[in-house]
Amino acid sequence: MSSPSILVVDDSPSLRRMIGACLRAAGYAVTEAADGDQARALAQQSSFGMLVTDQVMPGMDGLTLIRSLRATERYARIPMLMLTTEADSRIREQAREAGASGFLPKPFDPGQLMEAVSALIPTTEG
């Protein structure tokens, strides 16, 4: 079974590059988007096995993106990881209600990112 393709959404180019590099090094195919609107357009054109999204972005924020994708058959059940600098527990609750599968507070190191992704992506032992 091949690793799922992951859509990474963050308005920070440096953070997108870091997340993308970590995921690619682990064997995932990665597509990057700068905001929720771009991510939703990409998600309509292609199929992704996981979403990693920032919360605070210009235009469509992460919560709105997750809700929008969860409303579609294609993305109703894929893992969605929310990244945010907001330490507020209300944001975590809103993320869960929107359909986020996991939550990772910023700043984080690559190890924490990979642990969070590994915990959400089902693996099959052959």
Side-chain angles (χ1 to χ4, degrees), residues 64-80:
T64 305
L65 174 62
I66 289 173
R67 284 187 198 104
S68 172
L69 293 178
R70 282 287 185 230
T72 68
E73 179 65 28
R74 184 185 291 179
Y75 294 106
R77 288 173 288 285
I78 72 160
M80 296 189 183

Side-chain angles (χ1 to χ4, degrees), residues 44-124:
Q44 289 169 344
Q45 295 166 10
S46 304
S47 284
F48 296 98
M50 182 174 190
L51 173 73
V52 177
T53 184
D54 188 18
Q55 161 48 17
V56 180
M57 298 180 287
M60 184 188 303
D61 66 16
L63 288 173
T64 305
L65 174 62
I66 289 173
R67 284 187 198 104
S68 172
L69 293 178
R70 282 287 185 230
T72 68
E73 179 65 28
R74 184 185 291 179
Y75 294 106
R77 288 173 288 285
I78 72 160
M80 296 189 183
L81 180 64
M82 170 73 75
L83 311 175
T84 186
T85 53
E86 305 289 329
D88 192 332
S89 62
R90 286 176 301 163
I91 294 293
R92 287 176 186 252
E93 189 54 39
Q94 289 174 332
R96 271 197 257 340
E97 289 170 2
S101 313
F103 190 87
L104 186 61
K106 292 179 185 179
F108 55 84
D109 64 45
Q112 290 171 307
L113 171 67
M114 295 316 299
E115 282 178 29
V117 169
S118 296
L120 292 174
I121 292 183
T123 56
T124 54

